[in-house]
Short mmCIF file of all heavy atoms in Angstrom, two decimals:
data_model
loop_
_atom_site.label_atom_id
_atom_site.label_comp_id
_atom_site.label_asym_id
_atom_site.label_seq_id
_atom_site.Cartn_x
_atom_site.Cartn_y
_atom_site.Cartn_z
N LYS A 187 13.82 -3.81 -2.33
CA LYS A 187 13.16 -3.39 -1.08
C LYS A 187 12.44 -2.06 -1.27
O LYS A 187 11.34 -1.85 -0.73
CB LYS A 187 14.19 -3.28 0.05
CG LYS A 187 14.77 -4.61 0.50
CD LYS A 187 13.69 -5.54 1.03
CE LYS A 187 14.28 -6.86 1.50
NZ LYS A 187 13.23 -7.80 1.96
N ILE A 188 13.04 -1.14 -2.02
CA ILE A 188 12.38 0.14 -2.32
C ILE A 188 11.10 -0.13 -3.11
O ILE A 188 10.05 0.49 -2.87
CB ILE A 188 13.32 1.08 -3.10
CG1 ILE A 188 14.49 1.53 -2.20
CG2 ILE A 188 12.56 2.28 -3.64
CD1 ILE A 188 14.09 2.43 -1.04
N LYS A 189 11.19 -1.04 -4.06
CA LYS A 189 10.01 -1.42 -4.86
C LYS A 189 8.90 -1.96 -3.97
O LYS A 189 7.72 -1.65 -4.15
CB LYS A 189 10.41 -2.45 -5.91
CG LYS A 189 9.32 -2.83 -6.88
CD LYS A 189 9.84 -3.84 -7.91
CE LYS A 189 8.73 -4.25 -8.87
NZ LYS A 189 9.21 -5.25 -9.86
N ARG A 190 9.28 -2.76 -2.96
CA ARG A 190 8.28 -3.30 -2.03
C ARG A 190 7.66 -2.19 -1.19
O ARG A 190 6.44 -2.18 -0.97
CB ARG A 190 8.91 -4.35 -1.12
CG ARG A 190 7.94 -4.90 -0.09
CD ARG A 190 8.59 -5.87 0.87
NE ARG A 190 8.93 -7.11 0.22
CZ ARG A 190 9.43 -8.16 0.88
NH1 ARG A 190 9.66 -8.08 2.19
NH2 ARG A 190 9.70 -9.28 0.24
N MET A 191 8.48 -1.25 -0.73
CA MET A 191 7.94 -0.12 0.05
C MET A 191 6.96 0.69 -0.79
O MET A 191 5.89 1.08 -0.30
CB MET A 191 9.09 0.79 0.51
CG MET A 191 10.00 0.21 1.55
SD MET A 191 11.31 1.39 1.98
CE MET A 191 12.52 0.29 2.71
N LYS A 192 7.32 0.94 -2.04
CA LYS A 192 6.46 1.70 -2.94
C LYS A 192 5.14 0.95 -3.17
O LYS A 192 4.06 1.55 -3.18
CB LYS A 192 7.17 1.96 -4.27
CG LYS A 192 6.46 2.96 -5.16
CD LYS A 192 7.22 3.17 -6.48
CE LYS A 192 8.55 3.83 -6.25
NZ LYS A 192 9.24 4.16 -7.53
N SER A 193 5.24 -0.37 -3.33
CA SER A 193 4.05 -1.20 -3.54
C SER A 193 3.12 -1.12 -2.33
O SER A 193 1.90 -0.99 -2.46
CB SER A 193 4.47 -2.65 -3.79
OG SER A 193 3.35 -3.50 -3.83
N ARG A 194 3.70 -1.16 -1.13
CA ARG A 194 2.89 -1.08 0.09
C ARG A 194 2.30 0.32 0.28
O ARG A 194 1.19 0.46 0.80
CB ARG A 194 3.73 -1.48 1.30
CG ARG A 194 4.07 -2.96 1.32
CD ARG A 194 4.91 -3.36 2.50
NE ARG A 194 5.06 -4.81 2.55
CZ ARG A 194 5.73 -5.48 3.48
NH1 ARG A 194 6.33 -4.80 4.47
NH2 ARG A 194 5.81 -6.79 3.46
N LEU A 195 3.04 1.33 -0.15
CA LEU A 195 2.53 2.70 -0.08
C LEU A 195 1.28 2.84 -0.95
O LEU A 195 0.23 3.32 -0.48
CB LEU A 195 3.61 3.68 -0.54
CG LEU A 195 3.19 5.14 -0.73
CD1 LEU A 195 2.74 5.74 0.59
CD2 LEU A 195 4.33 5.95 -1.35
N PHE A 196 1.37 2.40 -2.19
CA PHE A 196 0.23 2.53 -3.10
C PHE A 196 -0.92 1.59 -2.72
O PHE A 196 -2.08 1.92 -2.91
CB PHE A 196 0.66 2.31 -4.54
CG PHE A 196 1.42 3.47 -5.12
CD1 PHE A 196 2.72 3.34 -5.55
CD2 PHE A 196 0.84 4.73 -5.21
CE1 PHE A 196 3.43 4.41 -6.06
CE2 PHE A 196 1.52 5.82 -5.73
CZ PHE A 196 2.82 5.66 -6.15
N SER A 197 -0.57 0.43 -2.17
CA SER A 197 -1.61 -0.49 -1.67
C SER A 197 -2.42 0.17 -0.56
O SER A 197 -3.65 0.05 -0.51
CB SER A 197 -0.96 -1.78 -1.16
OG SER A 197 -1.92 -2.61 -0.54
N SER A 198 -1.72 0.90 0.32
CA SER A 198 -2.40 1.59 1.43
C SER A 198 -3.31 2.70 0.90
O SER A 198 -4.44 2.87 1.36
CB SER A 198 -1.36 2.18 2.39
OG SER A 198 -0.53 1.17 2.91
N LEU A 199 -2.80 3.46 -0.07
CA LEU A 199 -3.58 4.56 -0.64
C LEU A 199 -4.80 4.05 -1.40
O LEU A 199 -5.90 4.58 -1.28
CB LEU A 199 -2.69 5.41 -1.56
CG LEU A 199 -1.53 6.14 -0.88
CD1 LEU A 199 -0.61 6.77 -1.92
CD2 LEU A 199 -2.04 7.22 0.08
N LEU A 200 -4.61 2.99 -2.19
CA LEU A 200 -5.72 2.41 -2.95
C LEU A 200 -6.77 1.79 -2.04
O LEU A 200 -7.97 1.84 -2.33
CB LEU A 200 -5.19 1.35 -3.92
CG LEU A 200 -4.53 1.88 -5.19
CD1 LEU A 200 -3.80 0.76 -5.93
CD2 LEU A 200 -5.56 2.53 -6.10
N SER A 201 -6.30 1.20 -0.93
CA SER A 201 -7.24 0.61 0.03
C SER A 201 -8.17 1.68 0.60
O SER A 201 -9.37 1.44 0.77
CB SER A 201 -6.46 -0.08 1.17
OG SER A 201 -7.34 -0.62 2.12
N TYR A 202 -7.61 2.87 0.85
CA TYR A 202 -8.46 3.96 1.34
C TYR A 202 -9.44 4.42 0.26
O TYR A 202 -10.61 4.67 0.53
CB TYR A 202 -7.61 5.16 1.80
CG TYR A 202 -8.46 6.32 2.26
CD1 TYR A 202 -9.05 6.32 3.51
CD2 TYR A 202 -8.71 7.40 1.40
CE1 TYR A 202 -9.86 7.37 3.93
CE2 TYR A 202 -9.51 8.45 1.80
CZ TYR A 202 -10.08 8.43 3.06
OH TYR A 202 -10.91 9.47 3.46
N CYS A 203 -8.96 4.50 -0.98
CA CYS A 203 -9.82 4.96 -2.07
C CYS A 203 -11.03 4.04 -2.26
O CYS A 203 -12.12 4.51 -2.64
CB CYS A 203 -9.04 5.02 -3.39
SG CYS A 203 -7.82 6.36 -3.45
N SER A 204 -10.86 2.75 -2.01
CA SER A 204 -11.95 1.79 -2.20
C SER A 204 -12.78 1.58 -0.93
O SER A 204 -13.70 0.78 -0.93
CB SER A 204 -11.39 0.45 -2.67
OG SER A 204 -10.48 -0.08 -1.72
N SER A 205 -12.44 2.31 0.15
CA SER A 205 -13.17 2.17 1.42
C SER A 205 -14.37 3.12 1.45
O SER A 205 -14.62 3.86 0.50
CB SER A 205 -12.24 2.48 2.59
OG SER A 205 -11.94 3.87 2.63
N ALA A 206 -15.08 3.10 2.57
CA ALA A 206 -16.22 4.01 2.74
C ALA A 206 -15.77 5.42 3.04
O ALA A 206 -16.59 6.35 3.08
CB ALA A 206 -17.12 3.50 3.87
N LYS A 207 -14.45 5.59 3.27
CA LYS A 207 -13.82 6.91 3.52
C LYS A 207 -14.37 7.58 4.77
O LYS A 207 -14.51 8.81 4.83
CB LYS A 207 -13.98 7.83 2.30
CG LYS A 207 -13.40 7.25 1.02
CD LYS A 207 -13.67 8.13 -0.17
CE LYS A 207 -13.21 7.47 -1.46
NZ LYS A 207 -13.94 6.20 -1.74
N GLY A 208 -14.64 6.76 5.75
CA GLY A 208 -15.06 7.30 7.04
C GLY A 208 -13.86 7.69 7.88
O GLY A 208 -12.70 7.51 7.47
N LEU A 209 -14.12 8.19 9.09
CA LEU A 209 -13.03 8.61 9.98
C LEU A 209 -12.12 7.44 10.32
O LEU A 209 -10.89 7.57 10.35
CB LEU A 209 -13.62 9.22 11.26
CG LEU A 209 -12.59 9.71 12.30
CD1 LEU A 209 -11.70 10.80 11.71
CD2 LEU A 209 -13.31 10.23 13.55
N GLY A 210 -12.72 6.25 10.55
CA GLY A 210 -11.93 5.07 10.87
C GLY A 210 -11.02 4.66 9.73
O GLY A 210 -9.89 4.20 9.95
N ASP A 211 -11.49 4.82 8.49
CA ASP A 211 -10.68 4.48 7.32
C ASP A 211 -9.48 5.42 7.18
O ASP A 211 -8.38 4.99 6.84
CB ASP A 211 -11.54 4.55 6.05
CG ASP A 211 -12.68 3.54 6.07
OD1 ASP A 211 -12.42 2.36 6.35
OD2 ASP A 211 -13.83 3.96 5.84
N PHE A 212 -9.70 6.70 7.45
CA PHE A 212 -8.60 7.67 7.38
C PHE A 212 -7.58 7.40 8.49
O PHE A 212 -6.36 7.48 8.26
CB PHE A 212 -9.12 9.10 7.48
CG PHE A 212 -8.06 10.14 7.25
CD1 PHE A 212 -7.61 10.43 5.97
CD2 PHE A 212 -7.49 10.82 8.32
CE1 PHE A 212 -6.61 11.39 5.75
CE2 PHE A 212 -6.50 11.77 8.12
CZ PHE A 212 -6.06 12.05 6.83
N LYS A 213 -8.07 7.05 9.68
CA LYS A 213 -7.17 6.72 10.79
C LYS A 213 -6.31 5.50 10.44
O LYS A 213 -5.12 5.44 10.77
CB LYS A 213 -7.97 6.45 12.07
CG LYS A 213 -8.64 7.68 12.66
CD LYS A 213 -7.62 8.64 13.25
CE LYS A 213 -8.30 9.81 13.96
NZ LYS A 213 -7.29 10.80 14.45
N LEU A 214 -6.93 4.51 9.77
CA LEU A 214 -6.19 3.31 9.37
C LEU A 214 -5.12 3.67 8.34
O LEU A 214 -3.99 3.17 8.40
CB LEU A 214 -7.14 2.27 8.79
CG LEU A 214 -6.51 0.97 8.28
CD1 LEU A 214 -5.69 0.27 9.36
CD2 LEU A 214 -7.57 0.02 7.73
N LEU A 215 -5.44 4.55 7.40
CA LEU A 215 -4.46 5.00 6.42
C LEU A 215 -3.29 5.69 7.12
O LEU A 215 -2.12 5.45 6.78
CB LEU A 215 -5.11 5.95 5.41
CG LEU A 215 -4.17 6.61 4.38
CD1 LEU A 215 -3.41 5.56 3.58
CD2 LEU A 215 -4.96 7.54 3.45
N GLU A 216 -3.58 6.52 8.10
CA GLU A 216 -2.51 7.19 8.86
C GLU A 216 -1.62 6.17 9.55
O GLU A 216 -0.38 6.30 9.55
CB GLU A 216 -3.12 8.13 9.89
CG GLU A 216 -3.66 9.44 9.34
CD GLU A 216 -4.10 10.39 10.43
OE1 GLU A 216 -5.00 10.01 11.22
OE2 GLU A 216 -3.55 11.50 10.52
N LYS A 217 -2.23 5.14 10.15
CA LYS A 217 -1.45 4.12 10.85
C LYS A 217 -0.56 3.35 9.86
O LYS A 217 0.59 3.02 10.19
CB LYS A 217 -2.38 3.16 11.58
CG LYS A 217 -3.03 3.76 12.81
CD LYS A 217 -4.04 2.79 13.45
CE LYS A 217 -4.74 3.44 14.63
NZ LYS A 217 -5.78 2.55 15.22
N ARG A 218 -1.09 3.09 8.68
CA ARG A 218 -0.28 2.39 7.68
C ARG A 218 0.91 3.23 7.24
O ARG A 218 2.02 2.73 7.06
CB ARG A 218 -1.16 2.01 6.48
CG ARG A 218 -2.04 0.81 6.75
CD ARG A 218 -2.99 0.48 5.63
NE ARG A 218 -3.63 -0.81 5.88
CZ ARG A 218 -4.78 -1.20 5.36
NH1 ARG A 218 -5.45 -0.39 4.54
NH2 ARG A 218 -5.28 -2.40 5.63
N LEU A 219 0.71 4.52 7.09
CA LEU A 219 1.80 5.41 6.71
C LEU A 219 2.81 5.55 7.85
O LEU A 219 4.02 5.67 7.62
CB LEU A 219 1.26 6.79 6.31
CG LEU A 219 0.43 6.81 5.02
CD1 LEU A 219 -0.16 8.19 4.78
CD2 LEU A 219 1.29 6.39 3.83
N LYS A 220 2.33 5.52 9.09
CA LYS A 220 3.24 5.54 10.24
C LYS A 220 4.13 4.29 10.24
O LYS A 220 5.34 4.38 10.47
CB LYS A 220 2.44 5.61 11.54
CG LYS A 220 1.83 6.97 11.83
CD LYS A 220 0.99 6.93 13.11
CE LYS A 220 0.37 8.29 13.41
NZ LYS A 220 -0.48 8.25 14.64
N ALA A 221 3.52 3.14 9.97
CA ALA A 221 4.28 1.89 9.96
C ALA A 221 5.29 1.86 8.82
O ALA A 221 6.40 1.32 8.96
CB ALA A 221 3.33 0.70 9.84
N LEU A 222 4.93 2.44 7.67
CA LEU A 222 5.83 2.46 6.51
C LEU A 222 6.99 3.43 6.67
O LEU A 222 8.12 3.14 6.28
CB LEU A 222 5.04 2.82 5.24
CG LEU A 222 4.17 1.73 4.63
CD1 LEU A 222 3.31 2.32 3.53
CD2 LEU A 222 5.03 0.61 4.07
N THR A 223 6.71 4.60 7.25
CA THR A 223 7.73 5.66 7.31
C THR A 223 8.41 5.76 8.67
O THR A 223 9.34 6.55 8.82
CB THR A 223 7.10 7.03 6.99
OG1 THR A 223 6.11 7.34 7.99
CG2 THR A 223 6.43 7.01 5.63
N GLY A 224 7.96 4.97 9.65
CA GLY A 224 8.50 5.10 10.99
C GLY A 224 9.06 3.81 11.54
O GLY A 224 9.45 2.90 10.80
N ASN A 225 9.13 3.73 12.86
CA ASN A 225 9.71 2.60 13.57
C ASN A 225 8.80 2.22 14.74
O ASN A 225 8.09 3.07 15.28
CB ASN A 225 11.10 2.96 14.10
CG ASN A 225 12.03 3.44 12.99
OD1 ASN A 225 12.67 2.67 12.33
ND2 ASN A 225 12.09 4.76 12.80
N TYR A 226 8.84 0.97 15.12
CA TYR A 226 8.00 0.51 16.22
C TYR A 226 8.59 -0.78 16.80
O TYR A 226 9.55 -1.34 16.27
CB TYR A 226 6.55 0.29 15.75
CG TYR A 226 6.41 -0.56 14.51
CD1 TYR A 226 6.17 -1.92 14.59
CD2 TYR A 226 6.53 0.01 13.24
CE1 TYR A 226 6.04 -2.70 13.45
CE2 TYR A 226 6.40 -0.76 12.09
CZ TYR A 226 6.16 -2.12 12.19
OH TYR A 226 6.04 -2.89 11.07
N GLU A 227 8.02 -1.23 17.90
CA GLU A 227 8.49 -2.44 18.57
C GLU A 227 7.44 -3.54 18.46
O GLU A 227 6.24 -3.27 18.50
CB GLU A 227 8.80 -2.16 20.04
CG GLU A 227 9.95 -1.19 20.24
CD GLU A 227 10.20 -0.89 21.72
OE1 GLU A 227 9.32 -1.23 22.54
OE2 GLU A 227 11.27 -0.34 22.04
N ILE A 228 7.92 -4.78 18.32
CA ILE A 228 7.02 -5.92 18.32
C ILE A 228 7.56 -6.97 19.29
O ILE A 228 8.76 -7.06 19.52
CB ILE A 228 6.86 -6.54 16.91
CG1 ILE A 228 8.23 -6.94 16.33
CG2 ILE A 228 6.13 -5.58 15.98
CD1 ILE A 228 8.14 -7.65 15.00
N ASN A 229 6.66 -7.76 19.85
CA ASN A 229 7.04 -8.87 20.71
C ASN A 229 7.28 -10.09 19.86
O ASN A 229 6.44 -10.46 19.05
CB ASN A 229 5.94 -9.18 21.73
CG ASN A 229 6.06 -8.31 22.96
OD1 ASN A 229 7.16 -7.90 23.33
ND2 ASN A 229 4.95 -8.03 23.60
#
């Protein structure tokens, strides 16, 4: 599970590196890090 978390962390970072690096791309990276390091509710 730690390996999977690490894989998703680097996948998120690499996705930003290959993006246009606009404000929306940085906001998406922040949201991905929030989902990885935090908690949330789903229906």
Side-chain angles (χ1 to χ4, degrees):
K187 291 299 181 183
I188 292 293
K189 185 178 178 181
R190 177 184 289 185
M191 291 179 200
K192 191 180 293 185
S193 173
R194 290 179 173 181
L195 171 63
F196 285 119
S197 173
S198 301
L199 296 171
L200 282 168
S201 178
Y202 178 79
C203 289
S204 60
S205 70
K207 303 175 186 62
L209 180 60
D211 297 310
F212 186 77
K213 291 290 185 184
L214 178 57
L215 175 57
E216 284 186 301
K217 288 175 183 177
R218 283 176 171 157
L219 293 175
K220 286 177 180 178
L222 283 171
T223 63
N225 304 274
Y226 50 95
E227 295 178 346
I228 56 175
N229 275 331

